[in-house]
Each structure stands twice: as C-alpha cells, then as structure tokens.
Amino acid sequence: MTSTDPLLAGLNPQQAEAVTHAGGPLLVVAGAGSGKTRVLTRRIAYLMSRRNVAPYQILAITFTNKAAGEMKERVAELVGPIAKSMWVSTFHSACVRILRQEAMRLGYSNSFSIYDSADSLRLVTIVAKELNLDAKRYPARQFQAMISNAKNELLGPQDYINAASNQFEQVVADVYTIYQQRLQRANAMDFDDLILKTVEVLQRYPEAKARFRSRFRHVLVDEYQDTNHAQYILVKELVGTEAEGIPLAELCVVGDADQSIYGFRGATIRNILQFELDYPNASTVLLEQNYRSTQNILNAANAVITRNESRKEKNLWSDAGSGAPLVGYVAESEHDEAVFIADEIRQLQKESKSQPGDTAIFYRTNAQSRVFEEVFMRNALPYKVVGGLRFYERREVKDLLAYLRVLANLEDEISLRRIINVPKRGIGDTSLDYVDAFANANSISFWQGLLRCSEAPGLPSRAAQAINDFTSMISALNVLVEAKTRPSVIVEAALEQSGLLKELADSVDPQDEVRVENLKELVAVSMEYEERPIEELGEDEEISLAGFLEKVSLVADADEIPEGEDHGGVVTMMTLHTAKGLEFPTVFLTGMEDGIFPHSRTLGEKDEIEEERRLAYVGLTRARQRLYISRAEYRSTWGAPNYNPPSRFLDEIPEDVIEWRNQGGASLTPSLVRKSRVAVAPPPRATGKKISVMELQIGDRVSHDTFGLGSVVAVAGEAEKAEATINFGQYGEKRLLLRYAPVEKL
C-alpha cells in the first residue's frame, strides 16, 4: 500500500490497517519488536488530525508512567501541543482522576489519601493486633496479599465473607472488613481500591457512567495481555454496551499473548485470548514483521513459543537477514559463567563489534546478579543493575549483614538498632529511647544498656523481656565467633536463630520468595570466601567472620563506577521481568537450567511452565544482533554445589541457529569443584525442619575444638534452640548453641 499521507509514511500494510481502522473493536496482536508503540501513537495522531476526534475524547492507557509520558510526547511531535489535553496515563492514574470527581458518591472526600504497600501493611498489622491474632500464625503480609488478590477480582469484604469456606478464610474476611472500615475512616484508598472503587462508581451510578461514556469516545489500551480481572471490567464499563443507549466507545487494544508474564500479579491471559468472544464484532490485525532482531534470533524465539498451547498463532519474521548464529555456552559453575561473559564482552569491545553500553545480561531472579557484580567489579567492567537494588543494598541482605556486624562487634550501635526489631519482637522506638537514656546517664554503651535494660526507668516489663530474649540470642551466637567458627556456619546460625529466614519462608508474598533466594546467595558468598585457594589468601589472613565482613564491605563499596565515553557505556543487568519492552544489540540470557529457569516453583504446573516459556520468549526477543545463551553445570545453593539439568527451553531451540562453544558434560565432574583450602563438612542447613541435636545433662564432661575440656553447668532450650552453659576452666563459662558447637561428650 503506497500512501501519500505523512501519518502513514513508513508503515507496513498491517500497521497502516491498525492505524486507519474505524468502527468496531480492534485487537492488534503485536509480536515483539513489531512497532506497536509506533502504531499506537500514529493511530492517536490519525484520530485527531484525520477523523477530527477532540483530544479530550481520547483515553489511552499504558502500564507505566514512563510509557505514558513517551506516548504523549510522540503524539505531540505529530499533531502539535493540542495532544497535551488527551488522557494518556496508567490504569491507576486514570482512576484517581475519575475518583477525584466521583469519590463523594462512595462516602470519601475528593482529597482522599492513597496508601502505598508499606502504609497498607502497617494498617493490616494494626487490624490484626486489634483482633488479637497471633502474628506468627497469621502474618500481616499474607493478609495483605490475600486482600489485594480479592480486590483484583472485584470482591469486596461482604463478597469475601459469603465465599469463605474455612476458618482461615473467615479470619481473612474479618481482617478485610475492619481494614476497609479503617481505610474509609482515614479517608484513604490503597492502590487496588483505585480500580475497584472506579468500577463501583461506574456500575452503581448510571449518571456518572453516562458522563464518562459520552466523554471518552476512543479507548486505547496498551499491553492488554497484562490486565487483571478488575482492569478488564473497567475497560468494559468505559466502552459500554448496546443496551445503554449511548454509542459504544471505539476500543483498540494492543498486546501479545506470547508476552504475558505477570500471572503472579494477577494478570490473566484469557483477557487477550478471548477478546473476540467478549467483543464478537471485533477485527484483528496481526503484526508479524519484526524490526528489531535478525532472523536467527526470531527462529529461536518462534520455535520456543510454538510449544505453548494457550496462544494466538503468529510467526515473527524479519527482512534484516539471518545474522550471526546464537552462541551457547556450558559453564562449570555460576562463577565460570560470569567470567566467560565478562571475557566475551571485553573481546567484542576489542573487536569493535559491540560496546559494554550495547549489552544486557538477563537472569530469572535478582539473587543471580551477585556473582556477575563481583566478577565485573574485579575486572573493572562498568555495569548497572536495573529493576532492583544492587545485591548488597537489598533490605534482607543488609539485615543479615547487620546481624553479622553485631556478632563481630557487639558495640556496633547502628547495626544493633537496625536488627533489634527485625523480625518484629515488640521492641519499639520508645523502649529504645528509655534504654538510650539509661545508657547515657550511666556512661555505658548501647549494648551494655540493653544487657542492663531491666534497670532502665520507665521501660515496660514486656519490652524488657523482649530485649533480654534478644541479647540472650546475640550472646549465644557471639560464642560462635569467639570459638572461631567458620563464617558460613555463623551466617546459617544467625539466619535461623534470628527468625529472619522463618519469617520470609512462612510468607505467601511472592516477593518474599525472592528475598529467601537472596539470603541463600549470601550463604553461598560466605562459603566461597572460605574456600578460596591458598594463593588468594593474604600472608597472615585467617578465615574469620571479621575477614568475611571486610571482603563484603569492600565489594559493596566498589559501586562508584565511572561512566562515560571512555568505557563505551555500562553493561545493563536485570531480571527477565524487568527486561520486557527493552532491546539491546547484544544479550546474554543466563542460568538456563531447569530449577533456575524455568523456576523450580513452576515445574510440574502446565500453566506456570507456559508462563515461564513466555518469559523465555521475552528474553530471546530483546536481542537485536547477538544472542548468547548460557547455563552452569552446578551452582551453589546454601553454599553446596547443586547440579541442575539443562533448561527444557534449550532443547526447543533449533540446532541450526545455535553454535555451542563447549558442550560441557562428561569432562565436568564434582571433583572439579574449586579446591578448597581445607576439607570442610557443609554447615547445618537452615531449613526450618526439626533437628536432632546432641543431648547434654548437668555434670557431663565435654571436649571443645577451641576451648578444650569443660563440664556442663546448665542446659536450656530444645531442638535447634538447645544450648548448654559449659565451664572451660581458664576460658570461663560459655553458652553454646549445641546445633553449631563442635563439642564431643566424653
């Protein structure tokens, strides 16, 4: 189709069809790199300048504020500043604008507050407290996740009560009811309310609905495959039905079922797969020409995604030629994988084929970034981590490191203050103020003040008890440091005894799963530190907790990396979920092992494996010219080598598009695990399961690797909390956690 219309210039026939379509609903199935943003912006510009639609009659919905801003700018470039008066925003922003006008109908003032996730969690915690619920049995985060899911399904408290089928759901319904009442009392809405309440306004108040229906004559939705049920119903309400007597709004949705990867957030792929059922007179335009990648990359992506049953048939093609074959690499360990990638980036730079700034490294979970960060720092390769903090800046990692810093130095007040109520122990700021005042009055340190907290005037006895339990736990863990226990064992013990691990492991919040993985990664780091070959050790360096903390702080401190022309930009690292919508000339897709990617949580679940495969498709289609795929024969989990089979997605890539640099396999055996300095047994695993621990009685004689002979003077606790106070003569009395103490009964 040749067109003289400048708004259609440079569009292929399918893109032009999507831009000019008029009348019934339109579904644009836009494959990766097929120019969907271009189609959306041109369509909006076409509506205004060729179909005389007023800008205020257009509502365009995107998933991020950044995308909304960019779309507005691009339309303004085409039609001028008039574009600024259209509504281009995220679902949440559009709903806030509607509710600022309509919230009065629901008993809110239009100056209502919007609670973020942290505010909402605080409120849920208060409600649970009010209902006298045991925080261990009923974690607030779990309530928060379940209330959020209910709202995404448009279930209010009453619906939840009616649907409750067991005692636990009944408890959730009670919390949800009071939570919602408290929100209303505070004239506040949480993020999920914004969509729920907008739908409520449109469904309950016909005059309000008529106002928005007659205003928005064109509704455009980007990334339609990522909408949840509440968003889907909102779009339906804004478009309207024949029965209402108002002409339907013209609906255009753009999306790709093959890139639906947010099921864990409540997104439902059925919204796009059943679009034609929801809107029987809908037209579909298929955008299959890809303007991003070479044909080899597309052949790999097409071959993988074709294995999914829940999809609309399409086949991406490019006229950019076949390009370089994909490169496959089987590394010995995750460390070897990171070194290979760093070397390859340097080589590409040397040959002027690709600069670091053109390069991205993708992984399935945030924890995987750690080994890349360390290798890149050592090699002075500049990088940035997107969509997540650098490994050592993540909250849970900082919490565990703060525990370790306190164990290495009991007087470290800042670290003490950070951890004393993490996980929650009922030690609030007011209690700490009393301790602080007492310590200052007696010229003693904060730690000494905590040890003597029962003497602090004004401190409630419950808080004093909680502080005593905390100092008792820290003192017992500190004996491990005195006894020169291996850092990895101390890390494990701190994780378990503090309750950090248990709190995250018991949670149903998907984010907490990621946090557990980050903590596992820190255990692996401590093992790596212990197992360095002799030649890497300083002259008089001994393996110790203080040494480990020093190494970590130096690594974490090397973050200030110069950016600029000299470095050809920086390598970008991110999770696959974050990568959606981006593209890079060179891409490294890492950790391609069953259990890593696809994630262990999804194995055995057909729908979840299909979502993981869509995630692989997103990763593959980010690459423009060069695509590397790597896996490791083994990687450390809790510090022990874990052997994972190759990812099933590797088998789905046609052999003729990928060249393997090395196949791994037979040559790599467990004996090749990096030689450690000493043969060490793996530390006890922090699993949260029942533990069998040596039983001691008062009067028993024991021998300890560091303190020598001693006799038991007191015993307390059981299972993993079992401890004994032992008199070791010249070393005095020591309280030992028996699970970790190298003692033998004589």
Side-chain angles (χ1 to χ4, degrees):
M1 181 198 289
T2 49
S3 171
T4 53
D5 190 333
L7 283 180
L8 303 179
L11 298 182
N12 67 38
Q14 291 75 25
Q15 291 174 325
E17 185 188 344
V19 167
T20 56
H21 171 88
L26 173 67
L27 166 64
V28 180
V29 177
S34 62
K36 72 176 174 73
T37 312
R38 184 189 224 194
V39 164
L40 267 175
T41 48
R42 295 280 189 100
R43 178 168 175 84
I44 294 169
Y46 194 88
L47 288 173
M48 287 187 211
S49 42
R50 303 292 184 268
R51 292 178 57 189
N52 299 321
V53 175
Y56 61 80
Q57 293 179 308
I58 296 173
L59 169 63
I61 295 175
T62 63
F63 262 76
T64 64
N65 290 312
K66 185 169 175 262
E70 281 174 7
M71 195 175 290
K72 221 170 198 174
E73 271 173 34
R74 286 172 68 168
V75 175
E77 282 167 17
L78 294 167
V79 299
I82 186 171
K84 299 288 184 196
S85 57
M86 55 179 196
W87 277 31
V88 182
S89 64
T90 62
F91 271 106
H92 290 107
S93 310
C95 289
V96 170
R97 288 181 76 171
I98 293 174
L99 288 168
R100 290 285 182 222
Q101 300 173 32
E102 303 295 336
M104 311 271 285
R105 297 178 189 272
L106 303 175
Y108 291 81
S109 88
N110 54 12
S111 61
F112 59 85
S113 307
I114 300 168
Y115 278 6
D116 65 12
S117 180
D119 301 325
S120 138
L121 186 61
R122 264 194 294 275
L123 185 56
V124 170
T125 308
I126 291 168
V127 171
K129 216 176 216 166
E130 200 177 293
L131 291 170
N132 290 322
L133 296 172
D134 176 356
K136 285 196 177 71
R137 194 170 162 208
Y138 297 110
R141 246 181 226 287
Q142 190 167 358
F143 288 132
Q144 187 187 28
M146 292 180 83
I147 291 170
S148 175
N149 291 342
K151 289 183 177 183
N152 287 335
E153 291 296 324
L154 296 178
L155 298 173
Q158 196 52 52
D159 304 312
Y160 208 95
I161 291 169
N162 298 342
S165 58
N166 56 42
Q167 194 252 335
F168 181 68
E169 285 177 5
Q170 194 57 58
V171 173
V172 177
D174 293 344
V175 172
Y176 186 6
T177 305
I178 301 173
Y179 170 76
Q180 216 51 36
Q181 288 166 354
R182 301 261 319 224
L183 272 176
Q184 185 118 18
R185 206 183 314 156
N187 191 36
M189 296 187 199
D190 63 23
F191 256 81
D192 299 310
D193 275 330
L194 297 175
I195 295 173
L196 174 84
K197 298 290 180 192
T198 306
V199 169
E200 194 178 327
V201 165
L202 296 174
Q203 289 184 339
R204 279 180 54 191
Y205 300 99
E207 62 280 23
K209 182 173 179 175
R211 207 154 53 80
F212 290 105
R213 285 283 327 285
S214 50
R215 173 172 178 167
F216 297 126
R217 304 303 315 126
H218 292 268
V219 177
L220 299 96
V221 185
D222 193 12
E223 306 284 10
Y224 191 67
Q225 76 280 351
D226 292 334
T227 49
N228 61 29
H229 179 67
Q231 291 161 334
Y232 159 79
I233 296 292
L234 176 67
V235 170
K236 281 200 96 153
E237 292 296 338
L238 286 168
V239 170
T241 57
E242 302 280 0
E244 292 164 346
I246 305 169
L248 298 183
E250 201 170 296
L251 174 64
C252 167
V253 305
V254 181
D256 178 8
D258 290 340
Q259 295 185 68
S260 175
I261 57 175
Y262 294 119
F264 65 95
R265 287 188 201 158
T268 165
I269 193 169
R270 73 145 305 279
N271 294 353
I272 191 161
L273 292 176
Q274 299 191 13
F275 185 82
E276 288 108 331
L277 285 177
D278 295 331
Y279 301 95
N281 58 339
S283 309
T284 300
V285 173
L286 209 53
L287 302 184
E288 294 180 295
Q289 184 173 355
N290 175 286
Y291 293 92
R292 177 186 298 156
S293 309
T294 62
Q295 195 60 51
N296 275 337
I297 293 169
L298 296 178
N299 288 350
N302 286 332
V304 169
I305 200 65
T306 307
R307 303 293 181 103
N308 271 6
E309 289 171 22
S310 313
R311 66 187 294 266
K312 288 184 181 296
E313 197 52 51
K314 70 171 183 312
N315 203 42
L316 293 182
W317 61 275
S318 165
D319 54 15
S322 52
L326 282 65
V327 173
Y329 184 78
V330 183
E332 185 181 326
S333 64
E334 71 266 46
H335 190 268
D336 179 33
E337 182 182 38
V339 169
F340 162 74
I341 291 172
D343 291 348
E344 197 64 25
I345 292 170
R346 281 276 187 244
Q347 191 59 32
L348 289 169
Q349 187 180 18
K350 207 165 141 188
E351 295 169 9
S352 302
K353 288 182 178 173
S354 176
Q355 294 298 316
D358 301 329
T359 307
I361 296 173
F362 299 150
Y363 34 76
R364 177 63 180 82
T365 63
N366 269 316
Q368 288 165 258
S369 79
R370 194 272 312 172
V371 67
F372 292 111
E373 289 183 61
E374 291 196 355
V375 167
F376 277 45
M377 280 173 195
R378 261 203 308 277
N379 287 283
L381 255 176
Y383 72 93
K384 61 179 179 198
V385 177
V386 179
L389 293 164
R390 291 173 182 269
F391 180 79
Y392 291 110
E393 287 169 5
R394 292 171 192 155
R395 190 190 74 209
E396 61 282 5
V397 173
K398 286 180 94 164
D399 287 343
L400 181 51
L401 285 172
Y403 268 100
L404 300 176
R405 287 200 177 99
V406 166
L407 296 180
N409 168 20
L410 292 172
E411 308 301 341
D412 181 342
E413 182 176 344
I414 298 298
S415 296
L416 267 172
R417 284 181 174 274
R418 179 178 181 107
I419 61 170
I420 193 162
N421 205 31
V422 175
K424 295 217 172 348
R425 300 186 173 89
I427 307 170
D429 290 344
T430 315
S431 302
L432 295 183
D433 290 345
Y434 286 129
V435 173
D436 210 11
F438 169 73
N440 288 338
N442 288 275
S443 305
I444 56 177
S445 69
F446 186 65
W447 168 250
Q448 294 300 327
L450 290 172
L451 289 175
R452 291 171 53 189
C453 67
S454 49
E455 300 167 46
L459 184 70
S461 57
R462 185 185 285 178
Q465 185 54 52
I467 291 173
N468 284 334
D469 290 349
F470 171 78
T471 55
S472 181
M473 174 212 23
I474 294 291
S475 301
L477 285 168
N478 188 245
V479 175
L480 292 175
V481 181
E482 278 185 63
K484 299 190 167 71
T485 310
R486 289 180 5 243
S488 57
V489 176
I490 299 174
V491 175
E492 290 265 7
L495 251 184
E496 193 152 72
Q497 301 294 316
S498 65
L500 277 178
L501 185 69
K502 187 170 181 333
E503 181 186 54
L504 293 173
D506 289 350
S507 166
V508 294
D509 182 346
Q511 294 303 314
D512 285 342
E513 204 166 300
V514 172
R515 292 191 178 104
V516 170
E517 286 177 3
N518 289 335
L519 292 174
K520 283 184 190 175
E521 188 67 11
L522 197 60
V523 176
V525 180
S526 65
M527 294 284 286
E528 275 182 23
Y529 162 77
E530 289 167 11
E531 293 176 4
R532 284 170 307 159
I534 291 173
E535 52 272 23
E536 277 186 36
L537 291 175
E539 217 169 288
D540 50 2
E541 186 185 344
E542 63 173 308
I543 301 288
S544 66
L545 180 63
F548 169 63
L549 287 170
E550 185 180 304
K551 176 182 176 283
V552 165
S553 54
L554 290 174
V555 167
D557 218 2
D559 282 352
E560 293 312 308
I561 293 167
E563 288 193 35
E565 296 304 310
D566 304 347
H567 290 279
V570 303
V571 177
T572 307
M573 301 180 187
M574 66 187 87
T575 64
L576 283 154
H577 282 100
T578 311
K580 184 145 165 260
L582 304 174
E583 55 182 67
F584 297 87
T586 303
V587 164
F588 290 86
L589 193 49
T590 67
M592 295 294 283
E593 301 129 48
D594 265 21
I596 304 293
F597 184 37
H599 195 284
S600 54
R601 190 188 59 240
T602 64
L603 302 175
E605 290 290 327
K606 178 174 168 286
D607 287 356
E608 297 222 6
I609 285 286
E610 290 213 344
E611 178 148 324
E612 291 286 291
R613 190 174 280 108
R614 293 194 289 273
L615 198 50
Y617 173 80
V618 164
L620 294 164
T621 54
R622 298 310 93 194
R624 292 216 299 261
Q625 288 140 24
R626 274 169 295 279
L627 177 58
Y628 292 79
I629 297 177
S630 59
R631 69 177 181 88
E633 291 270 303
Y634 70 86
R635 59 182 67 234
S636 299
T637 307
W638 291 119
N642 200 6
Y643 293 81
N644 295 313
S647 169
R648 61 197 67 194
F649 305 147
L650 289 177
D651 291 340
E652 297 166 5
I653 295 173
E655 284 176 18
D656 61 342
V657 302
I658 187 164
E659 280 180 4
W660 288 93
R661 292 273 176 92
N662 67 335
Q663 291 282 17
S667 63
L668 298 176
T669 61
S671 64
L672 284 176
V673 177
R674 262 172 306 146
K675 298 286 180 287
S676 60
R677 192 169 171 230
V678 285
V680 290
R685 297 280 156 257
T687 57
K689 295 187 179 120
K690 279 276 180 237
I691 314 295
S692 60
V693 181
M694 175 193 314
E695 286 185 18
L696 291 178
Q697 282 159 359
I698 294 171
D700 282 349
R701 300 276 294 154
V702 296
S703 160
H704 185 283
D705 289 0
T706 304
F707 303 131
L709 296 176
S711 64
V712 178
V713 294
V715 290
E718 57 184 38
E720 73 269 19
K721 298 280 187 194
E723 55 180 61
T725 304
I726 302 172
N727 187 332
F728 289 104
Q730 62 171 339
Y731 289 105
E733 287 187 0
K734 303 285 178 193
R735 263 182 55 219
L736 300 179
L737 284 161
L738 294 179
R739 181 171 179 203
Y740 302 99
V743 290
E744 264 182 58
K745 196 164 155 183
L746 298 176

